[in-house]
Amino acid sequence: MPPPTPPTKRRFRGFEPASSLLRDRIRSAGESRGFAVTRLLTGWAEIVGDDLARMTRPVKMSYPRDGFGATLTLLVRSAHAPMVEMHKPRLIEKVNACYGYAAISRVHLTQTAPTGFAGGEADFMTPPKAPAPPDPVIEAEARQRTTGVADDGLRAALENLTRNYLTRSASTKKGR
């Protein structure tokens, strides 16, 4: 006779955000590398800023025996290492602000190639692609539909709204 299956939790709220379904797995993966606050991993760009997030990635936190003054290990491209070295005090300040106390006292930089570290896991964020040029027909129609508006700010906002609506409706028609 097979062993009884453990009872499953019933969900009463309908749909759940994906973050709540993955929270335990993210926490266990982060804790295995010393990250007590997973926000440091998931919100790295928000914490240190986009400029430093493009150049770095948090890898590990190692705590000394006394419990304070941890060392944060970051992956960084070798070309960006001198720049990140200059920003170490800023990094320490921002990470400690995330934790709410002086959690780290040192930052250790590990230089690596842009790709190839454990099968491409070290591929840092790349800048977003430039948006495609607007369709001239849609631009002309958006301008034509807002010609009677006297306020420049309102007209620009309505043109932008019209442009987005026409672009979206044109893309859904193409997809069908």
Side-chain angles (χ1 to χ4, degrees), residues 83-144:
M83 174 91 57
V84 175
E85 185 73 34
M86 289 187 325
H87 289 289
K88 274 186 179 181
R90 182 176 146 204
L91 279 166
I92 292 171
E93 178 183 320
K94 289 185 177 234
V95 171
N96 285 339
C98 172
Y99 274 84
Y101 67 98
I104 67 165
S105 61
R106 289 174 300 283
V107 174
H108 176 74
L109 302 179
T110 300
Q111 296 182 24
T112 184
T115 58
F117 190 82
E121 291 177 14
D123 191 17
F124 297 98
M125 294 185 315
T126 57
K129 294 180 181 178
D135 185 12
V137 174
I138 291 176
E139 287 289 321
E141 182 154 352
R143 267 190 237 104
Q144 187 269 333

Side-chain angles (χ1 to χ4, degrees), residues 41-101:
L41 294 172
T42 57
W44 182 245
E46 296 169 0
I47 293 168
V48 298
D50 290 333
D51 56 339
L52 285 173
R54 282 190 193 103
M55 296 184 272
T56 61
R57 173 177 286 173
V59 177
K60 182 173 90 172
M61 281 189 70
S62 53
Y63 297 91
R65 293 183 192 255
D66 60 4
F68 286 103
T71 301
L72 174 64
T73 304
L74 298 175
L75 285 182
V76 63
R77 292 179 178 145
S78 55
H80 297 295
M83 174 91 57
V84 175
E85 185 73 34
M86 289 187 325
H87 289 289
K88 274 186 179 181
R90 182 176 146 204
L91 279 166
I92 292 171
E93 178 183 320
K94 289 185 177 234
V95 171
N96 285 339
C98 172
Y99 274 84
Y101 67 98

